[in-house]
Amino acid sequence: KTPYLRRPIIFICNHKYAPVLRPLLPYCRQFDVAPPSDQRLVGRLRSVLAEEGLSVFGGAQILHQLVTSAGGDIRSCLYTLQFVAARARQLNRGRDNTTIDISTSLRSVLHGRNGLKDI
């Protein structure tokens, strides 16, 4: 008798009815997770920025604009903030600031001057 795996295997996917996944569906336990509200996502992004020593002048408004532009996709938001933070750190190199403001870089990305593929 062949032993079966007793550890759970967790798959995370956006399109569970994709043809490639259909053979797995009878063996899966499915959980549908609702996306977080824009306000909750903005709050989480603010806490990430604070942990990283970054700030956004005009905070909630510009972060809400980022969340809206990304369609509520937290991965896209985090990628954008990572990109913007790297640019802001380049611009602030040699300064004594302990907190870096990323507002200018973020606005330029959101308004299309240095845009990203996802936004």
Side-chain angles (χ1 to χ4, degrees), residues 38-56 59-60 63 67 74 78 81 99 102:
D38 289 353
Q39 291 78 17
R40 184 168 182 180
L41 189 51
V42 166
R44 183 65 183 137
L45 293 175
R46 288 182 93 159
S47 68
V48 168
L49 290 172
E51 279 291 317
E52 294 292 326
L54 302 167
S55 68
V56 178
L63 288 176
V67 169
I74 192 165
L78 290 172
L81 290 176
T99 301
I102 62 170

Side-chain angles (χ1 to χ4, degrees), residues 27-109:
Y27 304 101
C28 296
R29 184 162 185 194
Q30 300 174 35
F31 300 93
D32 293 318
V33 179
S37 68
D38 289 353
Q39 291 78 17
R40 184 168 182 180
L41 189 51
V42 166
R44 183 65 183 137
L45 293 175
R46 288 182 93 159
S47 68
V48 168
L49 290 172
E51 279 291 317
E52 294 292 326
L54 302 167
S55 68
V56 178
F57 181 72
Q61 181 182 8
I62 195 165
L63 288 176
H64 184 67
Q65 194 175 7
L66 171 63
V67 169
T68 303
S69 297
D73 182 2
I74 192 165
R75 292 171 296 182
S76 182
C77 291
L78 290 172
Y79 172 74
T80 303
L81 290 176
Q82 182 179 11
F83 171 82
V84 168
R87 177 73 180 134
R89 284 187 176 111
Q90 280 181 338
L91 295 174
N92 286 331
R93 192 168 288 164
R95 296 184 186 166
D96 292 338
N97 295 356
T98 56
T99 301
I100 298 173
D101 180 41
I102 62 170
S103 303
T104 304
S105 299
L106 185 55
R107 280 191 183 86
S108 67
V109 167

Side-chain angles (χ1 to χ4, degrees), residues 4 9 60 115:
Y4 61 91
I9 299 173

